[in-house]
Amino acid sequence: MWNLQTALAILWTLCFLSSISGYKNGKVEKSCASMMPEHHSQPNTTASPYTLTVNTSQFSPGDNIRVVLSGSEHFEGFLIQARDATNPDGQAIGSFTLVDPDISQGLTCNSIEGSAVSHTSNAKKTEIQLIWKAPSNAPPTVQFLATVLAHYKIFWLKLTGPVISQGDVTPAPPRSTTDMSTNSANTAILPQPFTSVGCGKSKSCLIDPVSCNPSVDTNCFFLSYSALGQTVSFELSGPAQGYVSFALSKDEWMGDDDAYLCINDKGRVTVEAAHTTGWTYPEISSESVLTDVGWRVSDGVIQCKFSRSIYTPQDPFRFSLNNSYYLFVAHGSAEYGMIHRHTRQPLISSHHQIITGPPEILTGSRSPLLMKCHGALMLIAWMLAGSTGKLMAAYFKPDWPEQTLFGQKIWFQVHSMLMSLTVLLAAVGFVFPFVYRGKWSTRAGAHPYLGCTVMILTFCQPIMAAFRPAPDSSRRWIFNWLHWGVGNAAEIIAVVSMFFGIKQQSLLLPYPWTTGVLSAFVVWTIVLKLVLKLHKNGVIIKGSAHEDELPVLSDNLGDVNWDTKFRVAILAVFVLGNSAFCISLLASIGDV
């Protein structure tokens, strides 16, 4: 019995050691399809220190192409394949010839000997060189992929390398010189996405959303720049169908700016320097001012990099990079080499920045002047004018019965003027987003729908008031209930809309601070209205020595009615508190 147990233990140990040895020896044919190591751990999602490069961008069947895997850090294992660029999840194609058989070995994937290459041991290395032979049935475009293991459980899965195309294949139709004339030098395909690592230390970065990383977040808009001597290097990344761009501007409006565009034309990106004049299409520069140009398109994200001199006297439209500018980032669609007109509106902007200054993480803003005005008008309309006007109608009807203002009771005139101001401010503010966007926003969530609902209800109020029945009419109660219900609905939906509005990308206010301020405003309003409601219902009351005393603020004898005085005091506190909350939010709008 002991001998049997010992034999089983030895057998299990040998199998285990054989398995471990197999991974160390690079025999990983099981991973041919997925390129995923069977290490029971997840791939690393941070920026990879490893890159794949090739010595050509075009090939013909039978060509031998040098492929190099290298890194700034050591790695122990790797798996390299070539696949159809249009089907990166497909099978390995072509075959590799080893340059150094001591550290690399060929694998048989897809029944093709040498169609993949892996390590021979877990010895540390920083570079692997291979020769890939293009097969006779090669697809029009081929991309190289690599899984790289820094250590057993630290690895990067299917890092994308360059895309090469057959010599007789034209990946994108040439642009007419009347549409766009390229001003960039020879371009290269970027092996890896950009990363936010180093922002504020080795490079300045404008990032949106805040703290996103373009190496792992496909919704991240990213612009970085760093100066070295008389040259500044730029990196630009963002999700877009046609182009991403940024501009250096001397003011907060797009127009008369130094612009740079990364335009995706059917899978290939052209990097252009341009100049904007007013609201016209960007004019592409005819001068070659960009160097070290590279690009990458993956998962709907366009990325490009380039360098340019601080001073470019050969191109008068290029600004000196030693000065301060506003930075604009925009994106959109492009057809037939022509940028759509909505490039006139930036997606993100920053305050004045010295391009050649010390590295910093910039505070970006998606809030141009029109959207700031929209937010400010809506806050004033509903936090001050509308809330105060509604309070007057709800609780001040008994006051000042013998006094009039322009021929009407005081409460009615104040209520009418404040609500008219609310309608006016809301109507003007409602127009601004449509002027800014030029169309309905599909990325604003529930906010525009709530805003439209509020405006419909808001306009219903004065229309109903204009056709209201006489006070003694039998139908007056219908108007009273409708007026009360529509008014309350408009106010409630307006407040909900404000909560959504302060998180809009076009007016991205500090979070969660502004949400806290708005929440405190809601609580404040409810508490003071509750106090007035309790007072109205006799819960909070001060008895009068004269039962027939009229509820007036002051009479001919100079006596002051306590109830009216109490309501006026609460009104003053209400207005002061609402003003404080509103001013706090207005200040945050001014800072973005």
Side-chain angles (χ1 to χ4, degrees):
M1 184 68 177
W2 181 88
N3 290 335
L4 177 60
Q5 291 177 340
T6 303
L8 289 174
I10 294 173
L11 179 62
W12 181 87
T13 303
L14 289 174
C15 290
F16 176 78
L17 292 175
S18 176
S19 175
I20 297 298
S21 176
Y23 285 117
K24 289 183 178 180
N25 290 335
K27 300 295 185 180
V28 292
E29 278 88 350
K30 290 183 178 179
S31 299
C32 279
S34 66
M35 300 187 71
M36 177 75 173
E38 296 183 356
H39 290 183
H40 307 291
S41 59
Q42 296 300 313
N44 203 324
T45 58
T46 61
S48 165
Y50 311 111
T51 59
L52 269 175
T53 58
V54 296
N55 63 344
T56 184
S57 60
Q58 293 185 330
F59 72 95
S60 298
D63 283 357
N64 291 318
I65 298 169
R66 182 174 293 274
V67 181
V68 178
L69 170 64
S70 60
S72 58
E73 299 179 7
H74 291 92
F75 58 94
E76 296 180 359
F78 63 91
L79 176 62
I80 300 176
Q81 294 182 6
R83 295 186 177 184
D84 186 340
T86 62
N87 183 23
D89 294 325
Q91 298 176 332
I93 58 177
S95 59
F96 289 91
T97 300
L98 305 178
V99 174
D100 189 349
D102 291 335
I103 59 175
S104 60
Q105 63 180 329
L107 302 178
T108 301
C109 294
N110 190 29
S111 301
I112 302 175
E113 185 177 353
S115 57
V117 178
S118 69
H119 51 282
T120 58
S121 70
N122 62 348
K124 293 182 178 180
K125 37 199 162 277
T126 58
E127 183 179 281
I128 295 293
Q129 294 195 27
L130 306 166
I131 302 297
W132 181 75
K133 184 174 182 179
S136 58
N137 60 345
T141 55
V142 172
Q143 185 170 38
F144 295 90
L145 305 173
T147 293
V148 185
L149 292 85
H151 191 55
Y152 184 75
K153 288 191 176 182
I154 302 175
F155 63 92
W156 284 262
L157 178 65
K158 293 177 70 172
L159 299 178
T160 54
V163 176
I164 60 175
S165 58
Q166 293 201 42
D168 58 349
V169 174
T170 304
R175 272 190 256 258
S176 168
T177 55
T178 59
D179 291 336
M180 285 189 181
S181 57
T182 180
N183 57 66
S184 59
N186 294 330
T187 62
I189 300 175
L190 301 174
Q192 299 298 330
F194 300 135
T195 176
S196 59
V197 175
C199 288
K201 298 178 180 179
S202 60
K203 58 186 178 182
S204 296
C205 301
L206 176 60
I207 309 174
D208 187 85
V210 177
S211 301
C212 70
N213 191 334
S215 65
V216 295
D217 187 352
T218 57
N219 293 315
C220 184
F221 286 92
F222 175 83
L223 170 65
S224 77
Y225 54 87
S226 57
L228 180 62
Q230 295 299 308
T231 302
V232 177
S233 298
F234 294 89
E235 296 175 332
L236 178 63
S237 173
Q241 294 181 350
Y243 71 91
V244 289
S245 64
F246 76 92
L248 309 177
S249 180
K250 298 177 182 178
D251 52 40
E252 294 187 74
W253 297 93
M254 292 195 76
D256 300 319
D257 303 326
D258 181 1
Y260 301 88
L261 305 99
C262 304
I263 307 164
N264 181 11
D265 191 354
K266 297 182 180 180
R268 297 187 67 87
V269 175
T270 301
V271 184
E272 307 282 3
H275 178 73
T276 62
T277 303
W279 282 11
T280 61
Y281 294 113
E283 299 177 8
I284 302 303
S285 173
S286 59
E287 299 293 335
S288 179
V289 296
L290 308 183
T291 60
D292 190 27
V293 178
W295 61 269
R296 185 175 186 270
V297 178
S298 178
D299 297 326
V301 176
I302 302 174
Q303 297 189 329
C304 66
K305 68 160 189 160
F306 64 88
S307 300
R308 57 150 286 194
S309 298
I310 295 176
Y311 301 101
T312 56
Q314 71 272 29
D315 188 344
F317 292 115
R318 305 281 76 78
F319 296 169
S320 166
L321 300 183
N322 268 339
N323 297 327
S324 296
Y325 302 103
Y326 289 92
L327 294 174
F328 294 155
V329 175
H331 74 130
S333 59
E335 294 179 0
Y336 308 110
M338 190 64 75
I339 305 304
H340 280 192
R341 188 173 292 274
H342 62 258
T343 54
R344 66 192 187 199
Q345 297 295 358
L347 172 72
I348 312 164
S349 63
S350 75
H351 300 294
H352 267 83
Q353 309 296 335
I354 300 178
I355 305 302
T356 55
E360 56 184 324
I361 299 178
L362 310 180
T363 301
S365 168
R366 291 170 173 251
S367 308
L369 184 60
L370 281 176
M371 297 308 296
K372 290 183 179 181
C373 291
H374 161 74
L377 291 177
M378 289 303 184
L379 291 177
I380 295 172
W382 294 107
M383 294 183 72
L384 290 178
S387 59
T388 306
K390 189 170 176 293
L391 201 72
M392 291 296 298
Y395 301 104
F396 286 84
K397 289 180 180 179
D399 300 308
W400 313 292
E402 297 181 351
Q403 300 182 28
T404 61
L405 182 65
F406 302 119
Q408 295 285 347
K409 292 182 178 181
I410 293 178
W411 76 265
F412 178 79
Q413 290 289 42
V414 174
H415 169 74
S416 299
M417 287 187 290
L418 288 175
M419 299 316 295
S420 297
L421 179 61
T422 301
V423 174
L424 177 62
L425 293 175
V428 175
F430 180 76
V431 173
F432 285 160
F434 292 96
V435 175
Y436 168 67
R437 294 289 185 186
K439 60 178 181 179
W440 182 266
S441 176
T442 59
R443 301 178 61 184
H447 181 68
Y449 298 97
L450 293 172
C452 289
T453 303
V454 170
M455 288 310 304
I456 292 173
L457 296 175
T458 301
F459 281 120
C460 284
Q461 288 291 77
I463 294 174
M464 285 193 297
F467 294 97
R468 66 186 183 276
D472 57 353
S473 172
S474 61
R475 301 189 304 274
R476 179 73 179 200
W477 68 272
I478 300 176
F479 164 77
N480 290 341
W481 278 105
L482 284 176
H483 196 59
W484 177 86
V486 172
N488 278 285
E491 184 180 34
I492 293 171
I493 299 174
V495 171
V496 174
S497 181
M498 284 192 285
F499 275 100
F500 282 97
I502 61 177
K503 296 181 180 180
Q504 292 299 306
Q505 293 291 352
S506 57
L507 191 65
L508 193 60
L509 300 184
Y511 177 84
W513 182 82
T514 50
T515 303
V517 172
L518 195 54
S519 300
F521 159 75
V522 172
V523 174
W524 167 266
T525 303
I526 292 174
V527 169
L528 290 186
K529 286 185 177 181
L530 180 61
V531 171
L532 288 173
K533 186 69 173 178
L534 293 174
H535 176 262
K536 183 178 181 179
N537 292 337
V539 178
I540 302 176
I541 190 170
K542 178 182 179 181
S544 174
H546 307 285
E547 295 182 359
D548 59 344
E549 185 177 54
L550 294 175
V552 294
L553 182 60
S554 62
D555 58 17
N556 294 331
L557 299 177
D559 295 331
V560 177
N561 178 272
W562 184 88
D563 290 335
T564 299
K565 184 178 180 180
F566 178 82
R567 284 190 288 267
V568 171
I570 295 298
L571 176 64
V573 173
F574 180 86
V575 172
L576 288 174
N578 285 15
S579 299
F581 289 121
C582 187
I583 291 172
S584 297
L585 293 177
L586 292 175
S588 67
I589 290 177
D591 290 337
V592 297

